[in-house]
Amino acid sequence: MLLLLWLTQDLLTVLTWGFVEVPEIFMLGLVYQLLTEDREVHPGAIWIAFAGGLLWDLRWVGIPGFFTLGYVIVVMLVLWLWHTLPSSGRTLSVVFLLFSASQLIPPLLPVLILGGEPGGLHFLFQQLWALPLVLLCVLSYARHRRKKNPNA
Amino acid sequence: MFDRRQTREWVHGLTALILSLFLLGVSSNLGIVKGAADIVGEILAVPEYPAVKLRAFLGRMFLWAREKSELQDRIETLQRENAALRVTRAVVLNEQLKAELNARMSDVQVTMRAPLSWWNEVRLDKGEDEGVTSGLPLFQDGFLVGRVTSVGKFSSWAELLTSPSLMIPVVIEETRDLGVVVGEGNGTVLLTYVPVARGDLSGMNLSTALIGEQLPPGLPIGKVGAQVGTEDDGYATYRVKTGADLSRLYTLSLLSRAKDGAR
């Protein structure tokens, strides 16, 4: 499933290269999986993020490390925050925050390191396109939680 | 603080982080990275093929649409330019015609109007030496007065519209009906041979017809006046309100022939 999402993101980037930056669909899928799975430990997720980021760097950046680092940071942030919070603290606002972080952090690193326009402007537009997808994921998560625990 | 499982997660996470930072730090100097990027690119070229083709197609469509839009804009610009040029050309032609007409028009003075033939003819102060020839039309304030009938060396004679012997084929401009303008010899000018079925024609404009051999077509004469009678053969007769004041003829304009011989 994650491979499919990675490919979707890649194909959309092929289509829109030079015009707009595609939202981090792969990371949305990975974070959604982390938030909805019952497993307590996800060391695999870290390496999936690492591999996804490395592939992305090799395909689109040419210098491995930018998205690899970003993806790993996002997964670690999600795991740390999600495990730290009690069940009552895992609200939809927190979920929104985590999904947003998955869109914000990976593309922010190249902008911060390489900097300047037009990267900055593309980054802003990417965040704008990503917002509907983030909201869709939050909605999907809410449905999933209600199905799993109807009394919540 | 952390249980064993979480510690394991953190170990994996930190390892991945360190590895990422290491890659970021040293990979730009590693030749192997270029090779790896090429391999990834070649492998992904297979699933990306439809997207590449679609992008190329969309690009072509975009270019086509833009070219079409540019062509449309160009056509509209050319149309505007064409309209402006047409107006300019019309103005230039108009000016040329005006200049040509002015060159062909010359003033002549009426030097004699005999009481016995008051409504028939006048003598003019220009003749053969000034280029006057028989048949030239005479005007007053742009309306036809008559035509030159005989030319002497220094003077000429012109027959007036009011003369019963000068019959001029005319056209009613609004209906394109033809008729003949003829004088009565007493100052009255009549329009004859107009079909009765045409209704009320009074107030319509009259000018010389193309069928007349003596005068060029389109010379303004005046307006159709009141109907004065109907012939048994189905033709009506109208008075003509001449544009020129035929009782006050002093200075007239003579239209000489064009250089190419046209009327």
Side-chain angles (χ1 to χ4, degrees):
Chain A
M1 180 65 185
L2 286 170
L3 182 68
L4 205 66
L5 288 177
W6 191 97
L7 264 177
T8 307
Q9 187 177 328
D10 179 61
L11 296 183
L12 284 174
T13 307
V14 170
L15 275 175
T16 61
W17 182 247
F19 299 104
V20 288
E21 295 282 332
V22 174
E24 298 292 338
I25 300 169
F26 169 69
M27 282 312 289
L28 280 177
L30 187 58
V31 172
Y32 184 84
Q33 209 169 21
L34 286 174
L35 300 185
T36 51
E37 277 186 358
D38 292 331
R39 279 189 295 162
E40 287 278 320
V41 184
H42 300 85
I46 292 166
W47 293 111
I48 287 169
F50 182 88
L54 186 63
L55 268 179
W56 195 260
D57 282 330
L58 287 172
R59 174 64 185 90
W60 292 105
V61 185
I63 305 166
F66 287 106
F67 282 83
T68 317
L69 186 63
Y71 285 7
V72 171
I73 289 173
V74 169
V75 171
M76 286 191 71
L77 179 77
V78 170
L79 291 175
W80 171 73
L81 202 67
W82 205 243
H83 290 155
T84 310
L85 289 170
S87 293
S88 58
R90 296 174 180 179
T91 60
L92 289 181
S93 307
V94 174
V95 171
F96 176 77
L97 205 75
L98 291 175
F99 277 123
S100 298
S102 75
Q103 299 303 297
L104 191 74
I105 295 169
L108 189 63
L109 284 176
V111 175
L112 288 177
I113 295 167
L114 300 173
E117 296 290 340
L121 198 67
H122 278 190
F123 170 73
L124 281 178
F125 276 113
Q126 183 187 23
Q127 296 307 303
L128 213 68
W129 309 139
L131 195 61
L133 283 180
V134 168
L135 291 173
L136 204 73
C137 286
V138 175
L139 190 77
S140 180
Y141 173 79
R143 277 187 178 177
H144 172 83
R145 198 168 67 174
R146 217 174 15 248
K147 202 184 282 182
K148 199 175 152 194
N149 186 8
N151 300 321
Chain B
M1 203 166 87
F2 290 133
D3 61 23
R4 202 176 150 202
R5 284 183 294 186
Q6 280 178 323
T7 310
R8 219 179 109 207
E9 209 169 77
W10 274 101
V11 169
H12 279 280
L14 286 172
T15 312
L17 266 181
I18 291 162
L19 211 54
S20 304
L21 283 167
F22 173 77
L23 280 172
L24 197 58
V26 300
S27 60
S28 56
N29 299 322
L30 293 176
I32 195 169
V33 170
K34 205 176 167 189
D38 288 345
I39 291 168
V40 170
E42 277 172 27
I43 293 168
L44 285 171
V46 179
E48 283 174 1
Y49 182 77
V52 172
K53 287 287 165 193
L54 184 61
R55 183 188 163 93
F57 172 74
L58 290 174
R60 277 199 303 275
M61 290 298 287
F62 175 74
L63 274 178
W64 177 78
R66 201 173 65 179
E67 274 174 16
K68 198 182 170 191
S69 164
E70 279 173 1
L71 273 176
Q72 191 63 37
D73 287 346
R74 198 169 157 72
I75 286 169
E76 281 169 15
T77 310
L78 286 171
Q79 277 175 338
R80 278 196 295 274
E81 276 178 14
N82 194 27
L85 282 172
R86 210 177 293 161
V87 171
T88 311
R89 187 169 173 267
V91 168
V92 169
L93 278 176
N94 207 11
E95 290 296 321
Q96 281 176 349
L97 279 173
K98 205 173 155 187
E100 193 183 324
L101 201 62
N102 283 338
R104 286 174 62 190
M105 292 294 266
S106 57
D107 284 350
V108 285
Q109 302 291 329
V110 174
T111 53
M112 197 177 109
R113 193 171 181 183
L116 281 176
S117 57
W118 185 262
W119 297 111
N120 292 352
E121 56 183 0
V122 289
R123 191 177 70 184
L124 309 171
D125 68 338
K126 287 183 179 170
E128 224 174 76
D129 279 7
E130 285 84 12
V132 178
T133 55
S134 184
L136 296 183
L138 270 175
F139 298 90
Q140 185 192 57
D141 298 332
F143 287 95
L144 189 70
V145 169
R147 60 185 281 265
V148 175
T149 47
S150 62
V151 184
K153 198 163 176 59
F154 304 110
S155 65
S156 51
W157 285 89
E159 198 167 15
L160 300 175
L161 279 178
T162 42
S163 168
S165 59
L166 180 65
M167 301 178 84
I168 302 170
V170 294
V171 63
I172 300 166
E173 287 179 0
E174 284 81 354
T175 62
R176 308 307 296 169
D177 279 316
L178 295 169
V180 174
V181 161
V182 64
E184 281 199 309
N186 57 4
T188 307
V189 181
L190 298 175
L191 170 66
T192 57
Y193 304 127
V194 180
V196 175
R198 293 292 181 256
D200 186 16
L201 303 172
S202 51
M204 293 185 181
N205 294 301
L206 283 173
S207 60
T208 52
L210 188 65
I211 54 171
E213 289 179 355
Q214 300 165 333
L215 295 167
L219 305 179
I221 292 173
K223 288 182 185 296
V224 179
Q227 189 174 340
V228 291
T230 310
E231 305 294 328
D232 292 338
D233 50 6
Y235 290 99
T237 303
Y238 291 83
R239 275 186 199 285
V240 174
K241 293 178 191 166
T242 54
D245 182 0
L246 285 143
S247 60
R248 294 162 59 85
L249 298 177
Y250 300 107
T251 303
L252 304 175
S253 302
L254 193 68
L255 180 66
S256 57
R257 290 187 202 285
K259 283 177 184 168
D260 58 2
R263 284 186 295 173

